[in-house]
Amino acid sequence: MKILMVTSEAVPFAKTGGLADAVSALSIALTELGHDVRIVLPRYYKIDRDKLNILPGPMCVHCGFGETWTAVYESVLPGKTPVPVYFIDHEQLFGRDGIYGTPQETDFHDNPERFSLLCQGAFQLCRKLSWIPDIIHAHDWSAALAPALLKFNERYNGFEKTASVFTIHNLGYQGIYGKHKFPSTGIDWTNFFAAGFEDYDCMNFLKAGLVSSDYLTTVSPTYAKEIQSPEYGFRMDGILRYRSENLVGILNGVDTDVWNPSKDKKIPKNYTAKTISKKLENKLALQEKMGLEVNPDIPLFGIITRLADQKGIAEIFAPTYGCAYSMCRDMNMQFVILGSGESWCENEIRTLQSNLPNLRAYIGYDDALSHLIEAGSDFFLMPSRYEPCGLNQMYSLLYGTLPIVRCTGGLADTVQNYNEQTGEGTGFVLDNLTPQSIYDTVGWAVYAWYNKKDHIEAMKQRAMKQKFGWDESAKKYVEVYEKALNKLN
Protein backbone atom coordinates (compact mmCIF):
# COMPACT_ATOMS: atom_id res chain seq x y z
CA MET A 1 0.00 0.00 0.00
CA LYS A 2 1.27 3.51 -0.88
CA ILE A 3 0.77 5.98 1.99
CA LEU A 4 1.57 9.71 2.03
CA MET A 5 1.82 11.37 5.44
CA VAL A 6 0.97 15.09 5.25
CA THR A 7 2.16 16.83 8.39
CA SER A 8 3.59 20.04 9.79
CA GLU A 9 5.94 18.14 12.11
CA ALA A 10 8.13 15.03 12.06
CA VAL A 11 11.11 14.17 14.24
CA PRO A 12 14.00 14.76 14.00
CA PHE A 13 13.30 17.63 11.59
CA ALA A 14 10.59 19.75 13.25
CA LYS A 15 8.81 19.27 16.54
CA THR A 16 6.64 21.12 19.03
CA GLY A 17 4.93 18.11 20.62
CA GLY A 18 3.90 14.48 20.38
CA LEU A 19 2.56 14.88 16.82
CA ALA A 20 6.12 14.85 15.46
CA ASP A 21 7.03 11.66 17.34
CA ALA A 22 3.85 9.87 16.30
CA VAL A 23 4.13 10.65 12.59
CA SER A 24 7.72 9.45 12.30
CA ALA A 25 7.29 6.36 14.48
CA LEU A 26 4.09 5.30 12.68
CA SER A 27 5.76 5.79 9.29
CA ILE A 28 8.68 3.58 10.30
CA ALA A 29 6.36 0.90 11.71
CA LEU A 30 4.24 0.85 8.55
CA THR A 31 7.36 0.63 6.38
CA GLU A 32 8.56 -2.34 8.40
CA LEU A 33 5.21 -4.00 7.65
CA GLY A 34 6.06 -3.72 3.95
CA HIS A 35 4.17 -0.56 2.96
CA ASP A 36 5.56 2.28 0.82
CA VAL A 37 5.34 5.27 3.16
CA ARG A 38 6.50 8.81 2.43
CA ILE A 39 6.27 12.02 4.44
CA VAL A 40 5.85 15.61 3.26
CA LEU A 41 6.26 18.71 5.42
CA PRO A 42 7.49 22.31 5.04
CA ARG A 43 11.18 23.15 4.94
CA TYR A 44 11.31 25.51 7.90
CA TYR A 45 14.21 27.89 8.44
CA LYS A 46 15.84 25.68 11.08
CA ILE A 47 15.93 22.66 8.73
CA ASP A 48 19.35 23.02 7.10
CA ARG A 49 19.18 22.83 3.30
CA ASP A 50 22.81 21.74 3.18
CA LYS A 51 21.89 18.47 4.90
CA LEU A 52 19.16 17.70 2.34
CA ASN A 53 19.16 16.64 -1.29
CA ILE A 54 17.31 18.80 -3.79
CA LEU A 55 15.00 17.22 -6.36
CA PRO A 56 15.73 18.36 -9.92
CA GLY A 57 13.58 21.20 -11.22
CA PRO A 58 11.16 23.59 -9.46
CA MET A 59 7.59 22.60 -8.58
CA CYS A 60 4.60 24.72 -9.58
CA VAL A 61 1.71 24.80 -7.11
CA HIS A 62 -1.57 26.43 -8.18
CA CYS A 63 -2.63 27.95 -4.88
CA GLY A 64 -5.71 30.05 -4.40
CA PHE A 65 -3.50 33.12 -4.05
CA GLY A 66 -1.79 32.48 -7.40
CA GLU A 67 0.73 30.30 -9.14
CA THR A 68 3.55 29.54 -6.70
CA TRP A 69 6.93 28.02 -7.44
CA THR A 70 8.73 25.99 -4.82
CA ALA A 71 11.78 23.80 -4.51
CA VAL A 72 11.55 20.29 -3.09
CA TYR A 73 14.23 18.72 -0.94
CA GLU A 74 14.43 15.16 0.31
CA SER A 75 15.98 13.16 3.12
CA VAL A 76 15.17 9.97 5.03
CA LEU A 77 14.17 9.19 8.58
CA PRO A 78 17.22 7.86 10.40
CA GLY A 79 17.01 4.21 11.35
CA LYS A 80 17.28 0.71 9.97
CA THR A 81 14.32 1.18 7.60
CA PRO A 82 14.63 4.27 5.39
CA VAL A 83 11.47 6.37 5.03
CA PRO A 84 11.63 9.09 2.36
CA VAL A 85 10.88 12.59 3.67
CA TYR A 86 10.14 15.50 1.31
CA PHE A 87 10.34 19.17 2.20
CA ILE A 88 8.44 21.89 0.35
CA ASP A 89 10.72 24.91 0.25
CA HIS A 90 9.21 28.40 -0.04
CA GLU A 91 11.27 31.10 1.59
CA GLN A 92 8.50 33.68 2.00
CA LEU A 93 6.06 31.34 3.75
CA PHE A 94 8.29 28.80 5.51
CA GLY A 95 11.69 30.49 5.82
CA ARG A 96 11.23 31.82 9.34
CA ASP A 97 11.66 30.76 12.94
CA GLY A 98 8.74 28.86 14.43
CA ILE A 99 6.35 26.30 13.02
CA TYR A 100 3.04 27.94 13.86
CA GLY A 101 4.25 31.16 15.40
CA THR A 102 6.81 32.82 17.66
CA PRO A 103 6.59 34.28 21.18
CA GLN A 104 6.04 37.66 19.51
CA GLU A 105 3.43 36.36 17.03
CA THR A 106 2.03 33.17 18.52
CA ASP A 107 -0.13 32.39 15.47
CA PHE A 108 1.33 33.61 12.18
CA HIS A 109 -1.20 35.77 10.34
CA ASP A 110 -0.50 33.93 7.08
CA ASN A 111 -0.87 30.38 8.45
CA PRO A 112 -3.83 29.75 6.11
CA GLU A 113 -1.57 30.47 3.13
CA ARG A 114 1.35 28.52 4.62
CA PHE A 115 -0.51 25.31 5.27
CA SER A 116 -2.59 25.63 2.12
CA LEU A 117 0.71 25.54 0.24
CA LEU A 118 1.73 22.44 2.18
CA CYS A 119 -1.48 20.56 1.36
CA GLN A 120 -1.75 21.65 -2.27
CA GLY A 121 1.95 21.05 -2.68
CA ALA A 122 1.50 17.48 -1.42
CA PHE A 123 -0.61 16.61 -4.49
CA GLN A 124 1.83 18.31 -6.84
CA LEU A 125 4.69 16.39 -5.20
CA CYS A 126 2.94 13.12 -6.00
CA ARG A 127 2.69 14.16 -9.64
CA LYS A 128 6.32 15.23 -9.67
CA LEU A 129 7.35 11.83 -8.32
CA SER A 130 4.92 9.95 -10.60
CA TRP A 131 3.74 8.28 -7.40
CA ILE A 132 0.02 8.33 -6.63
CA PRO A 133 -0.74 7.09 -3.08
CA ASP A 134 -3.53 4.77 -2.09
CA ILE A 135 -3.92 6.73 1.17
CA ILE A 136 -3.36 10.36 2.02
CA HIS A 137 -3.00 10.45 5.80
CA ALA A 138 -3.30 14.00 7.15
CA HIS A 139 -2.35 14.93 10.70
CA ASP A 140 -4.02 17.68 12.77
CA TRP A 141 -5.47 20.99 11.62
CA SER A 142 -2.41 22.16 9.69
CA ALA A 143 -2.83 19.24 7.25
CA ALA A 144 -6.64 19.06 7.38
CA LEU A 145 -7.03 20.82 4.05
CA ALA A 146 -5.57 17.78 2.26
CA PRO A 147 -8.70 15.56 2.65
CA ALA A 148 -10.92 18.45 1.55
CA LEU A 149 -8.75 19.05 -1.53
CA LEU A 150 -8.87 15.36 -2.34
CA LYS A 151 -12.66 15.20 -2.08
CA PHE A 152 -13.54 18.42 -3.89
CA ASN A 153 -10.64 18.95 -6.32
CA GLU A 154 -8.14 16.16 -6.80
CA ARG A 155 -10.35 13.07 -6.86
CA TYR A 156 -11.38 14.18 -10.33
CA ASN A 157 -7.84 14.95 -11.39
CA GLY A 158 -5.72 11.81 -11.13
CA PHE A 159 -6.44 10.71 -7.55
CA GLU A 160 -9.63 8.76 -8.25
CA LYS A 161 -8.45 5.69 -6.31
CA THR A 162 -6.94 7.58 -3.37
CA ALA A 163 -8.70 7.62 0.02
CA SER A 164 -8.10 9.98 2.93
CA VAL A 165 -7.56 9.40 6.65
CA PHE A 166 -7.42 12.30 9.09
CA THR A 167 -5.89 11.88 12.55
CA ILE A 168 -6.87 14.18 15.43
CA HIS A 169 -3.86 14.52 17.70
CA ASN A 170 -5.41 17.33 19.76
CA LEU A 171 -8.92 18.62 19.11
CA GLY A 172 -8.15 21.80 21.04
CA TYR A 173 -6.14 23.21 18.12
CA GLN A 174 -8.37 23.84 15.11
CA GLY A 175 -6.89 26.49 12.82
CA ILE A 176 -9.70 29.06 12.89
CA TYR A 177 -9.23 32.15 10.67
CA GLY A 178 -11.27 34.83 8.96
CA LYS A 179 -13.15 33.47 5.96
CA HIS A 180 -11.56 36.13 3.75
CA LYS A 181 -8.57 33.73 3.77
CA PHE A 182 -10.64 30.93 2.23
CA PRO A 183 -9.55 31.57 -1.39
CA SER A 184 -6.02 30.53 -0.40
CA THR A 185 -7.28 26.95 0.04
CA GLY A 186 -7.87 26.57 -3.69
CA ILE A 187 -11.37 25.21 -3.10
CA ASP A 188 -14.28 26.94 -4.81
CA TRP A 189 -16.55 29.14 -2.71
CA THR A 190 -19.51 26.95 -3.68
CA ASN A 191 -17.99 24.23 -1.45
CA PHE A 192 -17.33 26.44 1.58
CA PHE A 193 -20.20 24.84 3.51
CA ALA A 194 -20.10 21.38 1.90
CA ALA A 195 -16.40 20.90 2.74
CA GLY A 196 -17.04 21.84 6.37
CA PHE A 197 -15.04 25.07 6.59
CA GLU A 198 -17.82 27.35 7.89
CA ASP A 199 -17.56 28.08 11.61
CA TYR A 200 -19.53 31.07 12.94
CA ASP A 201 -18.68 33.20 9.90
CA CYS A 202 -15.02 32.13 10.09
CA MET A 203 -13.26 29.18 8.50
CA ASN A 204 -12.07 26.18 10.48
CA PHE A 205 -9.41 23.93 8.97
CA LEU A 206 -9.87 21.08 11.45
CA LYS A 207 -13.62 21.04 10.95
CA ALA A 208 -13.07 20.66 7.20
CA GLY A 209 -10.86 17.64 7.88
CA LEU A 210 -13.55 16.08 10.09
CA VAL A 211 -16.23 16.58 7.45
CA SER A 212 -14.26 15.73 4.30
CA SER A 213 -12.10 12.73 5.29
CA ASP A 214 -13.08 9.20 4.36
CA TYR A 215 -12.03 7.95 7.80
CA LEU A 216 -11.10 9.61 11.10
CA THR A 217 -8.75 8.41 13.79
CA THR A 218 -7.55 9.77 17.07
CA VAL A 219 -4.75 8.76 19.37
CA SER A 220 -6.46 6.66 22.05
CA PRO A 221 -9.72 4.71 22.39
CA THR A 222 -10.95 6.70 25.40
CA TYR A 223 -10.23 10.04 23.68
CA ALA A 224 -12.29 8.85 20.69
CA LYS A 225 -15.26 8.50 23.04
CA GLU A 226 -14.57 11.69 25.01
CA ILE A 227 -14.46 14.00 21.98
CA GLN A 228 -18.02 12.98 21.12
CA SER A 229 -19.20 14.75 24.30
CA PRO A 230 -19.64 18.51 24.84
CA GLU A 231 -17.09 18.47 27.68
CA TYR A 232 -14.21 17.40 25.46
CA GLY A 233 -15.56 18.06 21.97
CA PHE A 234 -14.50 21.73 21.55
CA ARG A 235 -17.76 22.38 19.65
CA MET A 236 -16.99 19.54 17.22
CA ASP A 237 -18.79 16.85 19.24
CA GLY A 238 -21.91 16.93 17.05
CA ILE A 239 -19.90 16.26 13.89
CA LEU A 240 -17.93 13.53 15.64
CA ARG A 241 -21.09 11.82 16.88
CA TYR A 242 -22.47 11.98 13.34
CA ARG A 243 -19.25 10.43 12.02
CA SER A 244 -18.83 7.94 14.87
CA GLU A 245 -19.04 4.92 12.55
CA ASN A 246 -15.94 6.22 10.75
CA LEU A 247 -14.01 7.26 13.88
CA VAL A 248 -11.44 4.94 15.47
CA GLY A 249 -9.22 5.49 18.51
CA ILE A 250 -5.77 3.92 18.15
CA LEU A 251 -3.31 4.29 20.99
CA ASN A 252 0.00 5.88 20.05
CA GLY A 253 3.07 3.76 20.60
CA VAL A 254 6.47 4.57 22.07
CA ASP A 255 9.81 4.58 20.29
CA THR A 256 11.50 1.95 22.43
CA ASP A 257 14.81 2.54 20.69
CA VAL A 258 14.87 5.94 22.42
CA TRP A 259 12.85 5.31 25.59
CA ASN A 260 14.24 2.11 27.04
CA PRO A 261 15.95 1.96 30.45
CA SER A 262 18.00 -1.06 29.41
CA LYS A 263 19.89 0.87 26.72
CA ASP A 264 19.18 4.56 27.36
CA LYS A 265 22.51 6.37 26.90
CA LYS A 266 21.22 9.52 28.60
CA ILE A 267 20.91 8.04 32.08
CA PRO A 268 23.77 7.14 34.48
CA LYS A 269 22.75 3.51 35.00
CA ASN A 270 20.83 1.16 32.74
CA TYR A 271 18.45 -1.38 34.24
CA THR A 272 15.65 -3.81 33.47
CA ALA A 273 12.72 -5.22 35.44
CA LYS A 274 15.08 -7.95 36.67
CA THR A 275 17.76 -5.44 37.73
CA ILE A 276 15.43 -2.69 38.92
CA SER A 277 17.55 -2.12 42.04
CA LYS A 278 19.99 -0.27 39.73
CA LYS A 279 17.28 2.36 39.17
CA LEU A 280 18.30 3.81 42.55
CA GLU A 281 21.58 5.12 41.09
CA ASN A 282 19.57 7.31 38.72
CA LYS A 283 17.50 8.63 41.61
CA LEU A 284 20.59 9.61 43.58
CA ALA A 285 22.07 11.27 40.48
CA LEU A 286 18.85 13.23 39.92
CA GLN A 287 18.72 14.37 43.54
CA GLU A 288 22.31 15.55 43.36
CA LYS A 289 21.88 17.28 40.00
CA MET A 290 18.81 19.20 41.14
CA GLY A 291 20.23 20.20 44.54
CA LEU A 292 17.92 18.03 46.63
CA GLU A 293 18.85 16.04 49.71
CA VAL A 294 20.47 12.85 48.43
CA ASN A 295 18.39 10.28 50.26
CA PRO A 296 17.08 7.02 48.77
CA ASP A 297 14.32 6.74 51.37
CA ILE A 298 12.41 9.90 50.40
CA PRO A 299 9.89 9.42 47.54
CA LEU A 300 10.80 11.57 44.54
CA PHE A 301 8.02 12.91 42.30
CA GLY A 302 8.81 14.14 38.79
CA ILE A 303 6.85 16.22 36.31
CA ILE A 304 7.76 17.07 32.71
CA THR A 305 5.18 19.26 31.06
CA ARG A 306 4.16 22.18 28.95
CA LEU A 307 3.03 24.79 31.45
CA ALA A 308 -0.37 25.15 29.82
CA ASP A 309 -3.94 24.95 31.09
CA GLN A 310 -4.51 21.55 29.44
CA LYS A 311 -1.91 20.03 31.78
CA GLY A 312 -3.66 21.04 35.02
CA ILE A 313 -0.99 23.57 35.96
CA ALA A 314 -3.37 25.92 37.80
CA GLU A 315 -4.45 23.13 40.14
CA ILE A 316 -0.80 22.40 40.94
CA PHE A 317 0.93 25.78 40.85
CA ALA A 318 -1.52 28.73 40.88
CA PRO A 319 -0.81 31.14 43.79
CA THR A 320 -3.13 30.62 46.79
CA TYR A 321 -4.97 27.92 44.79
CA GLY A 322 -2.61 25.19 43.62
CA CYS A 323 -1.49 22.33 45.84
CA ALA A 324 2.28 22.24 45.18
CA TYR A 325 3.22 24.31 48.22
CA SER A 326 1.01 22.39 50.65
CA MET A 327 2.18 19.01 49.30
CA CYS A 328 5.83 19.89 49.75
CA ARG A 329 5.14 21.47 53.16
CA ASP A 330 2.98 18.68 54.58
CA MET A 331 4.55 15.54 53.12
CA ASN A 332 7.98 13.97 53.41
CA MET A 333 8.58 13.93 49.65
CA GLN A 334 10.61 15.66 46.93
CA PHE A 335 9.39 17.30 43.73
CA VAL A 336 11.35 17.88 40.48
CA ILE A 337 9.84 19.96 37.66
CA LEU A 338 10.94 20.34 34.04
CA GLY A 339 8.85 22.56 31.80
CA SER A 340 8.14 25.91 30.22
CA GLY A 341 5.10 27.78 29.05
CA GLU A 342 2.84 30.40 30.60
CA SER A 343 4.94 33.10 32.22
CA TRP A 344 2.84 33.35 35.40
CA CYS A 345 3.44 29.67 36.04
CA GLU A 346 7.17 29.86 35.36
CA ASN A 347 7.42 32.75 37.83
CA GLU A 348 5.39 30.94 40.48
CA ILE A 349 7.55 27.82 40.18
CA ARG A 350 10.64 29.98 40.73
CA THR A 351 8.99 31.43 43.84
CA LEU A 352 8.10 27.97 45.14
CA GLN A 353 11.66 26.80 44.56
CA SER A 354 13.05 29.67 46.59
CA ASN A 355 10.76 28.83 49.53
CA LEU A 356 10.77 25.02 49.51
CA PRO A 357 13.94 22.98 50.03
CA ASN A 358 12.29 19.85 48.61
CA LEU A 359 11.12 21.39 45.31
CA ARG A 360 13.52 22.03 42.45
CA ALA A 361 12.83 23.06 38.87
CA TYR A 362 14.42 23.62 35.49
CA ILE A 363 12.46 26.16 33.44
CA GLY A 364 12.91 25.27 29.79
CA TYR A 365 13.54 21.95 28.13
CA ASP A 366 16.52 19.63 28.43
CA ASP A 367 16.28 16.27 26.70
CA ALA A 368 18.93 14.57 28.82
CA LEU A 369 17.27 15.83 32.01
CA SER A 370 13.90 14.52 30.83
CA HIS A 371 15.39 11.03 30.55
CA LEU A 372 17.00 11.35 33.99
CA ILE A 373 13.69 12.46 35.55
CA GLU A 374 11.89 9.46 34.05
CA ALA A 375 14.61 7.08 35.27
CA GLY A 376 15.31 8.71 38.62
CA SER A 377 11.83 9.52 39.90
CA ASP A 378 9.73 7.15 41.96
CA PHE A 379 6.45 8.70 40.81
CA PHE A 380 5.45 10.85 37.83
CA LEU A 381 2.68 13.46 38.15
CA MET A 382 0.45 14.04 35.09
CA PRO A 383 -3.04 15.32 36.12
CA SER A 384 -4.10 16.60 32.69
CA ARG A 385 -7.41 18.35 32.13
CA TYR A 386 -7.60 16.27 28.95
CA GLU A 387 -4.94 14.14 27.27
CA PRO A 388 -5.56 12.71 23.79
CA CYS A 389 -2.87 10.08 24.27
CA GLY A 390 0.07 11.22 26.35
CA LEU A 391 3.55 9.78 26.12
CA ASN A 392 5.20 10.57 29.43
CA GLN A 393 2.97 8.23 31.39
CA MET A 394 4.05 5.42 29.04
CA TYR A 395 7.71 6.40 29.36
CA SER A 396 7.25 6.36 33.13
CA LEU A 397 5.73 2.88 33.13
CA LEU A 398 8.56 1.51 31.00
CA TYR A 399 11.07 3.05 33.43
CA GLY A 400 9.37 1.66 36.55
CA THR A 401 8.25 5.14 37.60
CA LEU A 402 4.65 4.98 38.81
CA PRO A 403 2.36 7.55 37.13
CA ILE A 404 -0.17 9.66 39.00
CA VAL A 405 -2.71 10.63 36.35
CA ARG A 406 -6.22 11.87 35.80
CA CYS A 407 -8.70 9.38 34.35
CA THR A 408 -8.93 10.87 30.86
CA GLY A 409 -7.95 9.99 27.29
CA GLY A 410 -4.83 7.94 26.82
CA LEU A 411 -4.03 8.19 30.52
CA ALA A 412 -7.12 6.12 31.29
CA ASP A 413 -6.13 3.60 28.60
CA THR A 414 -2.60 3.03 29.88
CA VAL A 415 -2.55 3.35 33.69
CA GLN A 416 -4.29 0.85 35.97
CA ASN A 417 -5.33 2.26 39.32
CA TYR A 418 -3.71 0.96 42.51
CA ASN A 419 -5.80 -1.40 44.62
CA GLU A 420 -4.68 -1.03 48.22
CA GLN A 421 -6.19 -4.39 49.20
CA THR A 422 -4.52 -6.54 46.55
CA GLY A 423 -1.57 -4.42 45.49
CA GLU A 424 -2.69 -4.59 41.85
CA GLY A 425 -2.25 -1.65 39.49
CA THR A 426 0.46 0.31 37.71
CA GLY A 427 -0.19 3.80 39.05
CA PHE A 428 -2.53 6.12 40.91
CA VAL A 429 -5.59 7.57 39.19
CA LEU A 430 -7.70 10.59 40.18
CA ASP A 431 -11.09 11.47 38.71
CA ASN A 432 -11.68 15.14 39.46
CA LEU A 433 -9.14 17.81 38.56
CA THR A 434 -8.97 19.89 41.73
CA PRO A 435 -6.06 20.91 43.97
CA GLN A 436 -7.50 18.78 46.77
CA SER A 437 -7.82 15.72 44.55
CA ILE A 438 -4.20 16.01 43.40
CA TYR A 439 -3.07 16.58 47.01
CA ASP A 440 -4.99 13.52 48.21
CA THR A 441 -3.74 11.25 45.40
CA VAL A 442 -0.12 12.28 45.90
CA GLY A 443 -0.66 11.72 49.62
CA TRP A 444 -2.02 8.26 48.82
CA ALA A 445 1.15 7.48 46.86
CA VAL A 446 3.35 8.80 49.69
CA TYR A 447 1.44 6.62 52.16
CA ALA A 448 1.94 3.55 49.97
CA TRP A 449 5.65 4.37 49.62
CA TYR A 450 6.19 4.32 53.38
CA ASN A 451 3.66 1.65 54.38
CA LYS A 452 3.17 -0.69 51.40
CA LYS A 453 6.68 -1.17 50.05
CA ASP A 454 5.89 -4.64 48.74
CA HIS A 455 3.00 -3.19 46.74
CA ILE A 456 5.19 -0.44 45.31
CA GLU A 457 7.85 -2.91 44.19
CA ALA A 458 5.25 -5.20 42.60
CA MET A 459 3.69 -2.24 40.79
CA LYS A 460 7.08 -1.21 39.39
CA GLN A 461 7.64 -4.72 38.07
CA ARG A 462 4.18 -4.77 36.54
CA ALA A 463 4.68 -1.33 34.98
CA MET A 464 7.95 -2.26 33.31
CA LYS A 465 6.36 -5.27 31.64
CA GLN A 466 3.82 -3.13 29.75
CA LYS A 467 4.06 -3.16 25.93
CA PHE A 468 3.75 0.15 24.10
CA GLY A 469 5.50 -0.50 20.80
CA TRP A 470 4.13 0.72 17.47
CA ASP A 471 3.73 -2.74 15.91
CA GLU A 472 0.12 -3.35 16.96
CA SER A 473 -0.90 0.27 16.42
CA ALA A 474 0.46 0.21 12.87
CA LYS A 475 -1.57 -2.92 12.09
CA LYS A 476 -4.71 -1.15 13.32
CA TYR A 477 -3.96 1.81 11.03
CA VAL A 478 -3.68 -0.59 8.10
CA GLU A 479 -7.17 -1.85 8.93
CA VAL A 480 -8.44 1.74 8.86
CA TYR A 481 -6.74 2.36 5.50
CA GLU A 482 -8.47 -0.72 4.06
CA LYS A 483 -11.84 0.49 5.34
CA ALA A 484 -11.25 3.93 3.84
CA LEU A 485 -10.39 2.38 0.47
CA ASN A 486 -13.49 0.18 0.63
CA LYS A 487 -15.63 3.34 0.90
CA LEU A 488 -14.50 4.29 -2.62
CA ASN A 489 -15.93 1.11 -4.11
Side-chain angles (χ1 to χ4, degrees), residues 8 36 46 58 119 160 189 233 237 289 301-302 332 369 376 395 441 487 489:
S8 56
D36 183 358
K46 67 177 183 179
C119 294
E160 291 82 1
W189 270 109
D237 52 290
K289 180 177 180 64
F301 291 73
N332 189 17
L369 180 57
Y395 301 157
T441 309
K487 288 189 70 178
N489 298 328

Side-chain angles (χ1 to χ4, degrees), residues 311 380-384 387 390-393 404-406 411:
K311 302 299 183 179
F380 190 90
L381 183 58
M382 199 172 175
S384 302
E387 195 65 62
L391 290 173
N392 277 105
Q393 86 279 7
I404 299 171
V405 302
R406 182 162 177 258
L411 304 179

Side-chain angles (χ1 to χ4, degrees), residues 55-316:
L55 293 186
M59 184 173 75
C60 180
V61 183
H62 294 278
C63 292
F65 48 86
E67 186 177 87
T68 302
W69 291 87
T70 73
V72 179
Y73 289 84
E74 66 176 338
S75 183
V76 296
L77 286 181
K80 58 185 178 182
T81 306
V83 178
V85 183
Y86 299 95
F87 303 87
I88 296 176
D89 186 59
H90 189 278
E91 192 68 31
Q92 182 179 352
L93 291 178
F94 300 133
R96 64 185 77 168
D97 290 326
I99 293 177
Y100 311 105
T102 64
Q104 293 74 35
E105 185 183 3
T106 54
D107 188 15
F108 289 132
H109 70 280
D110 57 353
N111 273 344
E113 291 87 353
R114 296 173 75 236
F115 294 114
S116 291
L117 178 58
L118 166 65
C119 294
Q120 292 172 86
F123 291 94
Q124 286 301 96
L125 173 66
C126 294
R127 295 186 177 99
K128 184 178 179 69
L129 298 172
S130 298
W131 180 87
I132 304 300
D134 300 298
I135 296 291
I136 286 183
H137 189 161
H139 296 267
D140 259 1
W141 76 265
S142 49
L145 175 60
L149 284 167
L150 175 63
K151 183 175 182 178
F152 291 93
N153 290 13
E154 301 294 351
R155 194 160 275 160
Y156 311 99
N157 193 20
F159 291 81
E160 291 82 1
K161 297 181 179 180
T162 301
S164 62
V165 173
F166 179 58
T167 294
I168 307 157
H169 292 265
N170 190 330
L171 195 65
Y173 299 96
Q174 299 186 1
I176 301 173
Y177 299 94
K179 68 179 183 181
H180 66 282
K181 296 278 191 177
F182 180 70
S184 67
T185 65
I187 294 177
D188 192 89
W189 270 109
T190 56
N191 292 315
F192 180 69
F193 290 90
F197 283 95
E198 196 281 330
D199 188 12
Y200 289 95
D201 209 35
C202 293
M203 73 166 178
N204 184 321
F205 277 88
L206 181 132
K207 183 183 175 187
L210 300 181
V211 170
S212 300
S213 297
D214 293 309
Y215 240 87
L216 304 172
T217 73
T218 191
V219 291
S220 72
T222 295
Y223 192 58
K225 297 174 184 176
E226 288 179 341
I227 58 178
Q228 296 179 54
S229 69
E231 182 180 0
Y232 295 97
F234 287 93
R235 299 183 301 107
M236 299 295 113
D237 52 290
I239 294 172
L240 290 162
R241 287 194 298 273
Y242 177 76
R243 298 222 55 197
S244 60
E245 290 186 0
N246 302 128
L247 170 63
V248 179
I250 302 173
L251 188 70
N252 277 348
V254 168
D255 187 344
T256 51
D257 289 330
V258 176
W259 293 95
N260 187 334
S262 68
K263 58 182 179 181
D264 190 338
K265 296 179 180 179
K266 297 176 181 177
I267 62 176
K269 192 69 176 180
N270 294 123
Y271 59 97
T272 66
K274 292 181 179 179
T275 61
I276 197 169
S277 60
K278 296 179 180 179
K279 176 177 167 67
L280 178 59
E281 294 187 39
N282 297 297
K283 176 178 180 176
L284 301 179
L286 178 59
Q287 289 174 324
E288 183 176 4
K289 180 177 180 64
M290 298 303 293
L292 293 164
E293 177 188 347
V294 179
N295 186 335
D297 298 326
I298 298 176
L300 177 55
F301 291 73
I303 183 170
I304 304 168
T305 187
R306 283 184 296 111
L307 300 177
D309 181 67
Q310 176 198 338
K311 302 299 183 179
I313 59 170
E315 285 73 16
I316 304 173

Side-chain angles (χ1 to χ4, degrees), residues 15 258-259 264 266-267 286 289-290 302-305 336-339 362 364-377 380 392 395-396 399 401:
K15 174 180 176 176
V258 176
W259 293 95
D264 190 338
K266 297 176 181 177
I267 62 176
L286 178 59
K289 180 177 180 64
M290 298 303 293
I303 183 170
I304 304 168
T305 187
V336 171
I337 303 152
L338 171 62
Y362 180 96
Y365 184 72
D366 183 302
D367 186 56
L369 180 57
S370 71
H371 283 251
L372 182 57
I373 290 174
E374 289 289 9
S377 299
F380 190 90
N392 277 105
Y395 301 157
S396 298
Y399 280 68
T401 299

